[in-house]
Coordinates of all heavy atoms in Angstrom, one line a residue:
G11 N -6.7 0.1 -6.9 CA -5.6 -0.7 -6.3 C -6.1 -1.3 -5.0 O -7.2 -1.1 -4.4
F12 N -5.2 -2.2 -4.5 CA -5.6 -3.0 -3.4 C -5.9 -2.1 -2.2 O -7.0 -2.1 -1.6 CB -4.4 -3.9 -3.1 CG -4.2 -4.2 -1.6 CD1 -5.1 -5.0 -1.0 CD2 -3.0 -4.0 -0.9 CE1 -5.1 -5.4 0.4 CE2 -2.8 -4.4 0.4 CZ -3.9 -4.9 1.1
L13 N -5.0 -1.2 -1.8 CA -5.2 -0.4 -0.5 C -6.2 0.6 -0.7 O -7.1 0.8 0.2 CB -3.9 0.1 -0.2 CG -3.8 0.9 1.3 CD1 -4.5 0.2 2.4 CD2 -2.5 1.5 1.5
A14 N -6.1 1.3 -1.8 CA -7.0 2.6 -2.0 C -8.4 2.1 -2.0 O -9.4 2.8 -1.7 CB -6.5 3.5 -3.2
S15 N -8.6 0.9 -2.7 CA -10.1 0.4 -2.8 C -10.7 0.2 -1.4 O -11.8 0.5 -1.3 CB -10.2 -0.9 -3.8 OG -9.6 -2.0 -3.1
H16 N -10.0 -0.2 -0.5 CA -10.5 -0.4 0.9 C -10.6 1.0 1.5 O -11.6 1.2 2.2 CB -9.4 -1.2 1.8 CG -9.4 -2.8 1.4 ND1 -10.3 -3.5 1.9 CD2 -8.6 -3.6 0.6 CE1 -10.1 -4.8 1.5 NE2 -9.1 -4.8 0.8
L17 N -9.8 1.9 1.1 CA -9.9 3.3 1.6 C -11.2 4.0 1.0 O -11.9 4.7 1.8 CB -8.7 4.1 1.3 CG -8.4 5.5 2.1 CD1 -8.3 5.3 3.5 CD2 -7.3 6.1 1.5
V18 N -11.4 3.6 -0.2 CA -12.7 4.1 -0.7 C -14.0 3.6 0.0 O -14.8 4.4 0.5 CB -12.9 3.6 -2.3 CG1 -14.3 3.9 -2.8 CG2 -11.8 4.3 -3.2
D19 N -13.9 2.4 0.3 CA -14.9 1.8 1.1 C -15.1 2.5 2.4 O -16.3 2.7 2.9 CB -14.8 0.2 1.3 CG -14.9 -0.5 0.1 OD1 -15.3 0.0 -1.0 OD2 -14.5 -1.8 0.1
R20 N -14.0 2.7 3.1 CA -14.1 3.4 4.4 C -14.6 4.7 4.4 O -15.5 5.1 5.1 CB -12.6 3.5 5.0 CG -12.5 4.2 6.3 CD -13.3 3.4 7.5 NE -13.4 4.2 8.7 CZ -12.6 3.9 9.7 NH1 -11.6 3.0 9.6 NH2 -12.6 4.7 10.8
F21 N -14.3 5.6 3.3 CA -14.7 6.9 3.3 C -16.3 6.8 2.9 O -17.1 7.7 3.4 CB -14.1 7.7 2.2 CG -12.9 8.4 2.7 CD1 -11.5 7.9 2.6 CD2 -13.0 9.6 3.4 CE1 -10.5 8.6 3.2 CE2 -11.9 10.3 4.0 CZ -10.7 9.8 3.8
L22 N -16.7 5.9 2.1 CA -18.1 5.7 1.7 C -18.9 5.3 2.9 O -19.9 5.9 3.3 CB -18.4 4.7 0.6 CG -17.9 5.1 -0.8 CD1 -17.9 4.0 -1.6 CD2 -18.8 6.3 -1.3
A23 N -18.5 4.4 3.8 CA -18.9 4.0 5.0 C -19.1 5.2 6.1 O -20.0 5.2 6.9 CB -18.3 2.8 5.7
E24 N -18.1 6.1 6.0 CA -18.2 7.2 6.9 C -19.2 8.4 6.4 O -19.2 9.6 6.9 CB -16.8 7.7 7.1 CG -16.0 6.7 7.7 CD -16.0 6.7 9.3 OE1 -16.7 7.5 9.9 OE2 -15.5 5.7 9.8
G25 N -19.9 8.1 5.2 CA -20.8 9.1 4.7 C -20.3 10.1 3.7 O -20.9 11.1 3.4
Y26 N -19.0 9.8 3.1 CA -18.4 10.8 2.2 C -19.0 10.5 0.7 O -19.4 9.3 0.5 CB -17.0 10.7 2.2 CG -16.2 11.4 3.3 CD1 -16.2 10.7 4.6 CD2 -15.4 12.5 3.2 CE1 -15.5 11.4 5.6 CE2 -14.8 12.8 4.2 CZ -14.8 12.5 5.5 OH -14.0 12.9 6.4
E27 N -18.9 11.3 -0.1 CA -18.8 11.0 -1.5 C -17.5 10.8 -1.9 O -16.6 11.6 -1.5 CB -19.5 12.2 -2.4 CG -20.9 12.3 -2.4 CD -21.5 13.4 -3.3 OE1 -20.8 13.7 -4.5 OE2 -22.5 14.0 -3.1
V28 N -17.3 10.0 -2.8 CA -15.9 9.4 -3.3 C -15.8 9.6 -4.8 O -16.6 8.9 -5.4 CB -15.5 8.1 -2.8 CG1 -14.1 7.8 -3.2 CG2 -15.5 8.2 -1.2
V29 N -14.8 10.3 -5.3 CA -14.5 10.1 -6.8 C -13.2 9.5 -6.8 O -12.1 9.7 -6.3 CB -14.2 11.7 -7.2 CG1 -13.9 11.5 -8.8 CG2 -15.4 12.6 -6.9
G30 N -13.2 8.2 -7.5 CA -12.1 7.3 -7.7 C -11.4 7.7 -9.0 O -12.0 8.0 -10.0
V31 N -10.1 7.7 -9.0 CA -9.3 7.8 -10.2 C -8.3 6.6 -10.4 O -7.7 6.3 -9.4 CB -8.5 9.2 -10.2 CG1 -7.7 9.3 -11.5 CG2 -9.5 10.4 -10.0
D32 N -8.1 6.1 -11.6 CA -7.2 5.1 -11.8 C -6.9 4.9 -13.3 O -7.8 5.0 -14.0 CB -7.8 3.7 -11.1 CG -6.6 2.8 -10.7 OD1 -5.8 2.4 -11.6 OD2 -6.5 2.5 -9.5
N33 N -5.9 4.4 -13.6 CA -5.6 4.1 -15.1 C -5.5 2.7 -15.4 O -5.2 2.1 -16.4 CB -4.3 4.7 -15.8 CG -3.0 4.5 -15.0 OD1 -3.1 3.7 -14.1 ND2 -1.9 4.8 -15.5
F34 N -5.7 1.7 -14.3 CA -5.6 0.4 -14.2 C -4.2 -0.2 -14.7 O -4.2 -1.4 -15.2 CB -6.7 -0.1 -15.2 CG -8.1 0.2 -14.7 CD1 -8.8 1.1 -15.5 CD2 -8.6 -0.3 -13.5 CE1 -10.1 1.4 -15.1 CE2 -9.9 0.1 -13.1 CZ -10.7 0.9 -13.9
I35 N -3.2 0.4 -14.6 CA -1.9 -0.3 -14.9 C -1.6 -1.3 -13.9 O -1.0 -2.3 -14.3 CB -0.8 0.6 -15.4 CG1 -0.3 1.6 -14.1 CG2 -0.9 1.4 -16.5 CD1 1.3 2.1 -14.4
T36 N -1.9 -1.1 -12.7 CA -1.7 -2.1 -11.6 C -3.0 -2.4 -10.9 O -3.1 -3.2 -10.2 CB -0.5 -1.9 -10.7 OG1 -0.7 -0.6 -10.0 CG2 0.8 -2.0 -11.5
G37 N -4.0 -1.4 -11.0 CA -5.2 -1.6 -10.4 C -6.1 -2.6 -11.1 O -5.9 -2.9 -12.2
S38 N -7.2 -3.0 -10.4 CA -8.1 -4.0 -11.0 C -9.6 -3.5 -10.9 O -10.0 -3.0 -9.8 CB -8.2 -5.4 -10.2 OG -6.8 -5.7 -9.9
R39 N -10.4 -3.7 -12.1 CA -11.7 -3.2 -12.0 C -12.6 -4.0 -11.1 O -13.4 -3.4 -10.5 CB -12.3 -3.4 -13.4 CG -11.8 -2.5 -14.4 CD -12.3 -2.7 -15.9 NE -11.5 -2.1 -17.0 CZ -11.5 -0.7 -17.2 NH1 -12.5 -0.1 -16.8 NH2 -10.8 -0.2 -18.1
G40 N -12.1 -5.2 -10.8 CA -12.9 -6.1 -9.9 C -12.8 -5.4 -8.4 O -13.8 -5.7 -7.6
N41 N -11.9 -4.7 -8.2 CA -11.8 -4.1 -6.8 C -13.0 -3.0 -6.5 O -13.1 -2.6 -5.3 CB -10.4 -3.5 -6.5 CG -9.3 -4.7 -6.4 OD1 -9.7 -5.8 -6.1 ND2 -8.1 -4.1 -6.4
L42 N -13.6 -2.6 -7.6 CA -14.6 -1.5 -7.4 C -15.9 -2.0 -7.9 O -17.0 -1.3 -7.7 CB -14.2 -0.3 -8.3 CG -12.9 0.4 -8.0 CD1 -12.4 1.6 -8.9 CD2 -13.0 1.0 -6.5
E43 N -16.0 -3.1 -8.3 CA -17.2 -3.7 -8.9 C -18.4 -3.8 -7.9 O -19.6 -3.4 -8.3 CB -17.1 -5.3 -9.3 CG -17.1 -5.6 -10.8 CD -16.7 -6.9 -11.1 OE1 -16.6 -7.9 -10.2 OE2 -16.2 -7.2 -12.2
H44 N -18.1 -3.9 -6.7 CA -19.2 -4.0 -5.5 C -19.7 -2.5 -5.4 O -20.8 -2.5 -4.7 CB -18.7 -4.5 -4.2 CG -17.5 -3.6 -3.7 ND1 -16.3 -3.6 -4.3 CD2 -17.4 -2.7 -2.6 CE1 -15.5 -2.6 -3.7 NE2 -16.3 -2.2 -2.6
L45 N -19.2 -1.6 -6.0 CA -19.7 -0.1 -5.9 C -20.6 0.2 -7.1 O -21.1 1.4 -7.1 CB -18.5 0.8 -5.6 CG -17.7 0.6 -4.6 CD1 -16.4 1.5 -4.6 CD2 -18.3 0.6 -3.2
D46 N -20.8 -0.6 -8.0 CA -21.7 -0.4 -9.2 C -23.0 0.1 -8.5 O -23.6 -0.5 -7.7 CB -21.8 -1.6 -10.2 CG -20.7 -1.8 -10.9 OD1 -19.8 -1.0 -11.0 OD2 -20.5 -2.9 -11.6
G47 N -23.6 1.2 -9.0 CA -24.8 1.6 -8.5 C -24.8 2.4 -7.3 O -25.8 3.0 -6.9
N48 N -23.7 2.5 -6.8 CA -23.6 3.5 -5.6 C -23.5 4.8 -5.9 O -22.7 5.3 -6.6 CB -22.3 3.1 -4.7 CG -22.2 3.8 -3.4 OD1 -22.5 4.8 -3.2 ND2 -21.7 3.1 -2.4
E49 N -24.5 5.6 -5.5 CA -24.6 6.9 -5.9 C -23.7 7.9 -5.4 O -23.4 9.1 -5.9 CB -26.1 7.4 -5.6 CG -27.2 6.9 -6.6 CD -28.5 7.3 -6.3 OE1 -28.7 8.1 -5.3 OE2 -29.5 6.8 -7.0
R50 N -23.1 7.5 -4.3 CA -21.9 8.4 -3.7 C -20.6 8.1 -4.3 O -19.7 8.7 -3.8 CB -22.1 8.2 -2.3 CG -23.3 9.1 -1.6 CD -23.2 9.2 -0.1 NE -23.4 8.0 0.5 CZ -22.5 7.3 1.3 NH1 -21.3 7.7 1.6 NH2 -22.9 6.2 1.9
F51 N -20.5 7.1 -5.2 CA -19.3 6.9 -5.9 C -19.2 7.2 -7.3 O -20.1 6.7 -8.1 CB -18.8 5.3 -5.5 CG -17.6 5.0 -6.2 CD1 -16.3 5.6 -5.6 CD2 -17.5 4.3 -7.4 CE1 -15.2 5.2 -6.2 CE2 -16.2 3.9 -8.0 CZ -15.1 4.4 -7.3
S52 N -18.1 7.8 -7.8 CA -18.0 8.0 -9.3 C -16.6 7.8 -9.5 O -15.7 7.7 -8.7 CB -18.5 9.5 -9.6 OG -17.7 10.4 -8.9
F53 N -16.3 7.6 -10.9 CA -15.0 7.1 -11.2 C -14.6 7.8 -12.5 O -15.2 7.9 -13.4 CB -15.1 5.6 -11.5 CG -13.8 4.9 -11.8 CD1 -12.8 4.7 -10.8 CD2 -13.4 4.7 -13.1 CE1 -11.5 4.3 -11.1 CE2 -12.1 4.2 -13.4 CZ -11.2 4.0 -12.4
I54 N -13.3 8.2 -12.5 CA -12.8 8.8 -13.7 C -11.4 7.9 -14.1 O -10.5 7.8 -13.3 CB -12.1 10.2 -13.2 CG1 -13.3 11.1 -12.7 CG2 -11.5 10.9 -14.6 CD1 -12.8 12.4 -12.3
E55 N -11.5 7.4 -15.3 CA -10.3 6.7 -15.7 C -9.3 7.6 -16.4 O -9.5 8.2 -17.2 CB -10.7 5.6 -16.9 CG -9.5 4.7 -17.3 CD -10.0 3.5 -18.1 OE1 -11.2 3.2 -18.2 OE2 -9.1 2.9 -18.7
H56 N -8.2 7.7 -15.7 CA -7.3 8.8 -16.0 C -5.8 8.4 -15.4 O -5.7 7.9 -14.4 CB -7.6 10.1 -15.4 CG -6.8 11.2 -15.6 ND1 -6.7 11.9 -16.8 CD2 -5.9 11.8 -14.9 CE1 -6.0 12.9 -16.8 NE2 -5.3 13.0 -15.5
D57 N -4.8 8.8 -16.1 CA -3.4 8.7 -15.7 C -3.1 9.9 -15.1 O -2.8 11.0 -15.7 CB -2.4 8.4 -17.0 CG -1.0 8.3 -16.5 OD1 -0.7 8.5 -15.3 OD2 -0.2 8.1 -17.4
I58 N -2.9 9.9 -13.7 CA -2.7 11.1 -12.9 C -1.3 11.7 -13.1 O -1.0 12.8 -12.6 CB -3.0 10.8 -11.5 CG1 -3.3 12.1 -10.7 CG2 -2.0 10.1 -10.8 CD1 -4.6 12.9 -11.1
S59 N -0.5 11.1 -13.8 CA 0.7 11.8 -14.4 C 0.4 12.9 -15.2 O 1.3 13.8 -15.4 CB 1.7 10.8 -14.9 OG 2.0 9.8 -14.0
Q60 N -0.8 12.9 -15.8 CA -1.3 14.0 -16.6 C -2.2 14.9 -15.7 O -2.9 14.3 -14.9 CB -2.1 13.5 -17.8 CG -1.3 12.6 -18.7 CD -0.2 13.1 -19.4 OE1 -0.2 14.2 -19.7 NE2 0.9 12.3 -19.7
P61 N -2.3 16.1 -15.9 CA -3.2 17.0 -15.2 C -4.6 16.6 -15.1 O -5.1 16.0 -16.2 CB -3.0 18.4 -15.7 CG -1.7 18.4 -16.5 CD -1.5 17.1 -16.8
L62 N -5.2 16.7 -14.1 CA -6.7 16.4 -14.1 C -7.5 17.5 -13.5 O -7.1 18.2 -12.6 CB -6.8 15.2 -13.0 CG -8.3 14.8 -12.7 CD1 -9.0 14.1 -14.0 CD2 -8.4 13.8 -11.5
F63 N -8.6 17.9 -14.5 CA -9.4 19.0 -14.0 C -10.7 18.4 -13.6 O -11.4 17.5 -14.4 CB -9.6 19.8 -15.2 CG -8.3 20.5 -15.7 CD1 -7.5 20.0 -16.7 CD2 -7.8 21.6 -15.0 CE1 -6.3 20.4 -16.9 CE2 -6.6 22.1 -15.3 CZ -5.9 21.5 -16.4
V64 N -11.2 18.8 -12.4 CA -12.5 18.2 -11.9 C -13.4 19.4 -11.7 O -13.0 20.4 -11.1 CB -12.2 17.5 -10.6 CG1 -13.4 17.0 -10.1 CG2 -11.2 16.3 -10.7
H65 N -14.8 19.2 -12.1 CA -15.6 20.4 -12.0 C -16.2 20.7 -10.6 O -16.7 21.6 -10.2 CB -16.6 20.4 -13.1 CG -16.0 20.4 -14.4 ND1 -15.3 21.4 -14.8 CD2 -15.9 19.5 -15.4 CE1 -14.8 21.3 -16.0 NE2 -15.1 20.1 -16.4
T66 N -16.4 19.6 -9.9 CA -17.0 19.6 -8.5 C -16.2 20.2 -7.4 O -14.9 20.0 -7.7 CB -17.6 18.2 -8.3 OG1 -16.5 17.3 -8.3 CG2 -18.7 17.7 -9.2
A67 N -16.7 20.5 -6.4 CA -15.9 20.9 -5.2 C -15.4 19.6 -4.6 O -16.0 18.6 -4.8 CB -16.9 21.6 -4.3
L68 N -14.3 19.8 -4.1 CA -13.6 18.6 -3.3 C -13.2 19.2 -1.9 O -12.5 20.2 -1.8 CB -12.4 18.2 -4.0 CG -12.5 17.5 -5.5 CD1 -11.2 17.2 -6.0 CD2 -13.4 16.2 -5.3
D69 N -13.3 18.2 -0.9 CA -12.9 18.5 0.5 C -11.6 17.9 0.7 O -10.8 18.3 1.7 CB -13.8 18.1 1.5 CG -15.3 18.9 1.1 OD1 -15.3 20.0 1.4 OD2 -16.2 18.2 0.6
G70 N -11.2 16.9 0.0 CA -10.0 16.1 0.2 C -9.5 15.5 -1.1 O -10.3 15.1 -2.0
V71 N -8.3 15.4 -1.1 CA -7.5 14.7 -2.3 C -6.5 13.7 -1.6 O -5.7 14.2 -0.7 CB -6.9 15.7 -3.2 CG1 -6.0 14.9 -4.3 CG2 -7.7 16.6 -3.9
L72 N -6.5 12.6 -2.0 CA -5.7 11.5 -1.4 C -4.9 10.9 -2.4 O -5.6 10.3 -3.4 CB -6.5 10.4 -0.5 CG -7.2 11.1 0.6 CD1 -8.7 11.3 0.4 CD2 -7.2 10.1 1.9
H73 N -3.7 10.9 -2.6 CA -3.0 10.3 -3.6 C -2.2 9.1 -3.4 O -1.2 8.9 -2.8 CB -1.8 11.4 -4.1 CG -1.0 11.1 -5.3 ND1 -1.5 10.4 -6.4 CD2 0.3 11.2 -5.6 CE1 -0.6 10.1 -7.3 NE2 0.6 10.7 -6.8

Side-chain angles (χ1 to χ4, degrees):
F12 154 60
L13 180 54
S15 70
H16 285 280
L17 196 62
V18 168
D19 289 346
R20 176 65 186 263
F21 273 95
L22 289 170
E24 299 281 346
Y26 287 71
E27 269 186 38
V28 179
V29 182
V31 178
D32 208 295
N33 66 349
F34 298 113
I35 64 165
T36 55
S38 313
R39 287 176 201 275
N41 288 344
L42 298 174
E43 251 168 18
H44 62 289
L45 300 177
D46 281 353
N48 186 323
E49 286 179 359
R50 285 192 287 116
F51 180 71
S52 57
F53 184 77
I54 304 171
E55 186 168 345
H56 180 77
D57 176 359
I58 199 62
S59 301
Q60 306 291 332
L62 175 66
F63 299 95
V64 177
H65 297 296
T66 53
L68 294 174
D69 303 287
V71 174
L72 298 97
H73 183 33

